[in-house]
């Protein structure tokens, strides 16, 4: 309910129109939804440790090892692409529940995998769930959040992703003694079960989606369960009006086609560019290959798991900082600070390898780079894809952006080590630096502030940044 719990002039302080127990309820909903983010982090993080033991159990070649890691990314692209349509047809709630079941299925295949083939299948299935959930979670979170807390709740997604990564590293550490890789995967079933149970028993359908489907009374009942009756009526009327506007404008087209409407284009350009930039800035070369990189600076391999836990912890801590700041400072300042920090660190990291500044400095630059990502580009990308698209284009827009994010992740993860071999490690970091410099310019020029803004206001600001007057196209959605 981005717009649903909207601010009304003169209603007093933030959230004054939502009952305290209502706020608690929305928090619980947000937590259940964001379990999808946790699974995203856990299932992408767990494989680094599990692989060490799988490779000896099944005698895997290095190609087979990297395929076990990267097929998840292919599955994720497929999942992300399918999720938009499903979330529009079945609703956000059923889609999330179905994704939880796919998580459980993929995990079961991995836990009982008799050989390499089954491992690949399990990883693809898990990938489908990861990709689909990563597209659904921002949309659903955005639609159940009051405007004043929307940034916070959307950032919760990234917090859960980073928590998932860190917990995966710790689980790896705990089960590394006996090399129990099946147990490492099995732990992922617990949050998946919780997510399914939470979705079935706790979560309401998104009021935005209900209004889009003409189920106005049900939408009103959901809003009323956290706020007063008069408020719910006003809120639903606003959503109905918007649906009518969308029908007249871009929103009458089905699913993907809605993304081609001129009115939606600015949001799509920002969503897709940030999706690619988030990955081509190099984040997962550190998240996935930290131990290898650290070893290259001259530190011992035996410490590598320890260092990856440290990196995971910094990632998490700085995401908490972002949560505190995102609704106070706004999205743009966080993005600009984050990108500036990343740029400086990538340039320095490049030097540290090219002129060999020593392992301590390289490690320091890496840590500050991760911290800079975590305070801005990491969470704010996921925040914006929940906020920028008009309601009827939201699921499709989020799915398209998420799919591009996974495709870019796949390309960077696959190309990173070979590229570093050919042009050099430091030089590769400078390529990432160039991408980040471009992103800095792009954000300065095209990304509007969305903090405290209803969708209509966001849309006006977005159209203005692209040189279109708000009256230029059909009425905004
Ligand atoms: C990115 C992931 C990355 C993670 C690291 C997310 O925002 O989309 O690819 O692994 O941040 O924290």
């Amino acid at each position: 309910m981005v717009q649903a719990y909207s601010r009304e002039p003169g209603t007093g302080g933030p959230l004054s129109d939502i009952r305290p127990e209502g706020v608690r309820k929305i928090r619980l909903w947000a937590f259940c939804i964001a379990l999808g983010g946790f699974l995203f982090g856990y299932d992408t993080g767990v494989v680094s440790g599990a692989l060490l033991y799988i490779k000896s159990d099944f005698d895997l070649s290095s190609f087979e090892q990297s395929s076990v890691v990267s097929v998840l990314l292919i599955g994720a692209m497929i999942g992300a692409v399918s999720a938009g349509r499903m979330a529009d047809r079945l609703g956000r709630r059923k889609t999330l529940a179905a994704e939880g079941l796919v998580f459980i299925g993929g995990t079961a295949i991995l836990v009982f995998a008799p050989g390499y083939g089954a491992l690949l299948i399990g990883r693809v299935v898990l990938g489908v769930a990861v990709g689909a959930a990563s597209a659904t979670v921002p949309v659903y979170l955005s639609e159940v959040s009051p405007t004043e807390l929307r940034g916070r709740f959307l950032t919760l997604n990234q917090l859960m992703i980073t928590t998932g990564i860190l917990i995966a590293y710790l689980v790896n550490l705990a089960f590394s003694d006996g090399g129990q890789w099946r147990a490492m995967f099995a732990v992922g079933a617990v949050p998946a079960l919780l997510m399914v149970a939470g979705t079935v028993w706790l979560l309401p359908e998104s009021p935005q989606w209900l209004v889009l489907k003409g189920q106005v009374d049900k939408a009103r009942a959901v809003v009323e369960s956290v706020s007063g009756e008069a408020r719910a009526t006003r809120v639903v009327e606003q959503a109905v009006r918007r649906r009518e506007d969308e029908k007249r404008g871009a929103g009458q087209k089905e699913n993907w086609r809605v993304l081609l409407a001129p009115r939606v284009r600015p949001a799509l350009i920002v969503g897709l560019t940030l999706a690619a930039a988030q990955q081509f800035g190099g984040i997962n070369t550190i998240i996935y290959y930290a131990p290898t990189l650290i070893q290259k600076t001259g530190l011992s391999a035996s410490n590598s798991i320890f260092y990856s836990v440290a990196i995971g912890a910094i990632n998490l801590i700085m995401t908490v900082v972002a949560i505190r700041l995102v609704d106070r400072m706004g999205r743009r300042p966080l993005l600009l600070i984050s990108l500036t920090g990343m740029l400086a660190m990538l340039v320095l990291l490049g030097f540290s390898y090219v002129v060999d500044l020593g392992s301590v400095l390289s490690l320091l630059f890496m840590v500050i780079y991760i911290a800079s990502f975590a305070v801005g580009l990491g969470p704010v990308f996921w925040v914006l894809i929940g906020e920028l698209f008009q309601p009827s284009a939201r699921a499709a827009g989020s799915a398209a952006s998420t799919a591009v994010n996974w495709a870019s992740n796949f390309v960077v993860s696959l190309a990173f080590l070979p590229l570093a071999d050919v042009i050099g490690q430091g030089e590769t970091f400078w390529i990432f630096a160039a991408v980040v410099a471009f992103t800095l310019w792009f954000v300065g020029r095209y990304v509007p502030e969305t903090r405290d803004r209803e969708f209509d206001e966001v849309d006006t600001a977005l159209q203005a940044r692209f040189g279109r007057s708000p009256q230029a196209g059909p009425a905004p959605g």
Side-chain angles (χ1 to χ4, degrees):
M1 266 168 285
V2 180
Q3 300 80 9
Y5 303 95
S6 57
R7 285 163 297 133
E8 293 280 313
T11 50
L15 302 176
S16 58
D17 48 357
I18 299 178
R19 294 192 298 271
E21 75 275 14
V23 176
R24 277 197 293 278
K25 209 171 188 179
I26 302 169
R27 282 213 178 100
L28 190 63
W29 294 346
F31 176 78
C32 278
I33 299 170
L35 279 171
F38 180 90
L39 284 159
F40 168 169
Y42 188 85
D43 288 316
T44 49
V46 75
V47 74
S48 64
L51 200 61
L52 297 174
Y53 308 101
I54 296 175
K55 78 175 176 212
S56 44
D57 268 15
F58 291 155
D59 196 18
L60 300 185
S61 68
S62 59
F63 171 77
E64 287 168 334
Q65 286 172 45
S66 61
S67 59
V68 170
V69 177
S70 53
V71 288
L72 177 128
L73 303 177
I74 298 177
M77 278 179 247
I78 302 169
V81 169
S82 338
R85 181 163 229 146
M86 213 165 136
D88 277 341
R89 284 231 177 122
L90 298 181
R92 316 324 191 193
R93 182 166 168 258
K94 284 190 186 145
T95 303
L96 194 69
E99 288 159 359
L101 294 176
V102 181
F103 268 114
I104 294 169
T107 303
I109 299 175
L110 286 174
V111 171
F112 299 108
Y116 172 61
L119 272 180
L120 284 187
I121 296 172
R123 291 284 293 170
V124 172
V125 174
L126 212 51
V128 170
V130 170
S134 61
T136 311
V137 169
V139 173
Y140 204 173
L141 275 178
S142 166
E143 293 180 350
V144 299
S145 305
T147 308
E148 300 86 339
L149 295 180
R150 195 177 60 212
R152 219 168 229 260
F153 284 169
L154 277 164
T155 318
L156 187 67
N157 181 30
Q158 177 75 9
L159 180 68
M160 295 290 263
I161 297 174
T162 51
T163 308
I165 295 175
L166 185 62
I167 298 279
Y169 289 162
L170 293 171
V171 167
N172 287 348
L173 209 57
F175 287 113
S176 63
D177 250 1
Q180 302 167 56
W181 60 267
R182 291 179 198 274
M184 296 175 186
F185 285 127
V187 173
V190 178
L193 279 168
L194 275 180
M195 189 171 87
V196 175
T199 312
V200 172
W201 284 301
L202 291 175
L203 281 178
E205 183 47 90
S206 139
Q208 294 272 324
W209 182 82
L210 289 168
V211 169
L212 281 178
K213 295 289 159 183
Q215 300 177 32
V216 176
D217 289 343
K218 281 194 189 162
R220 181 176 297 118
V222 174
V223 186
E224 263 180 43
S225 74
V226 291
S227 71
E229 195 180 317
R231 158 118 233 115
T233 307
R234 274 203 306 275
V235 153
V236 169
E237 274 169 8
Q238 196 181 28
V240 170
R241 242 192 339 268
R242 184 168 303 116
R243 185 191 61 177
E244 297 309 314
D245 284 347
E246 281 192 34
K247 269 195 183 153
R248 269 182 274 120
Q252 74 217 113
K253 299 184 191 70
E254 272 286 290
N255 283 298
W256 290 107
R257 297 201 39 219
V258 69
L259 296 180
L260 300 176
R263 191 81 202 171
V264 179
R265 201 165 298 146
L268 191 64
I269 293 173
V270 172
L272 298 187
T273 307
L274 290 185
Q278 204 210 30
Q279 295 299 327
F280 281 99
I283 183 63
N284 285 317
T285 59
I286 310 267
I287 298 283
Y288 298 169
Y289 297 109
T292 318
L293 287 170
I294 293 164
Q295 220 181 333
K296 278 192 192 173
T297 67
L299 292 179
S300 83
S302 58
N303 285 332
S304 66
I305 293 203
F306 170 76
Y307 287 116
S308 55
V309 169
I311 283 183
I314 297 282
N315 195 10
L316 179 79
I317 291 165
M318 292 310 286
T319 309
V320 174
V321 174
I323 292 200
R324 303 197 66 83
L325 295 179
V326 71
D327 285 325
R328 284 192 211 150
M329 275 175 76
R331 290 41 160 171
R332 261 175 70 82
L334 277 189
L335 268 182
L336 295 171
I337 292 169
S338 160
L339 288 161
T340 308
M342 287 172 70
L343 176 59
M345 287 311 116
L346 283 167
V347 171
L348 291 173
L349 251 179
F351 272 117
S352 80
Y353 281 87
V354 171
V355 298
D356 193 7
L357 295 178
S359 51
V360 175
L361 274 182
S362 310
L363 201 59
L364 183 71
F365 298 149
M366 244 179 247
V367 166
I368 305 180
Y369 164 82
I370 292 281
S372 309
F373 172 87
V375 86
L377 187 61
V380 175
F381 162 66
W382 296 106
V383 170
L384 288 177
I385 65 169
E387 294 185 324
L388 289 175
F389 294 95
Q390 62 183 42
S392 68
R394 194 169 290 138
S398 168
S401 311
T402 308
V404 166
N405 190 262
W406 285 108
S408 312
N409 188 344
F410 179 67
V411 172
V412 177
S413 310
L414 214 63
F416 176 62
L417 292 181
L419 189 67
D421 279 347
V422 176
I423 65 166
Q425 186 70 72
E427 289 78 354
T428 309
F429 282 126
W430 284 337
I431 296 184
F432 296 149
V435 174
V436 173
F438 165 79
T439 314
L440 199 51
W441 168 81
F442 179 85
V443 170
R445 173 85 184 71
Y446 291 112
V447 177
E449 183 52 76
T450 55
R451 181 184 67 135
D452 269 349
R453 282 181 163 163
E454 302 298 336
F455 174 73
D456 297 358
E457 299 163 290
V458 169
D459 189 56
T460 306
L462 189 57
Q463 303 294 336
R465 286 203 168 258
F466 280 76
R468 293 169 53 122
S469 82
Q471 285 79 31

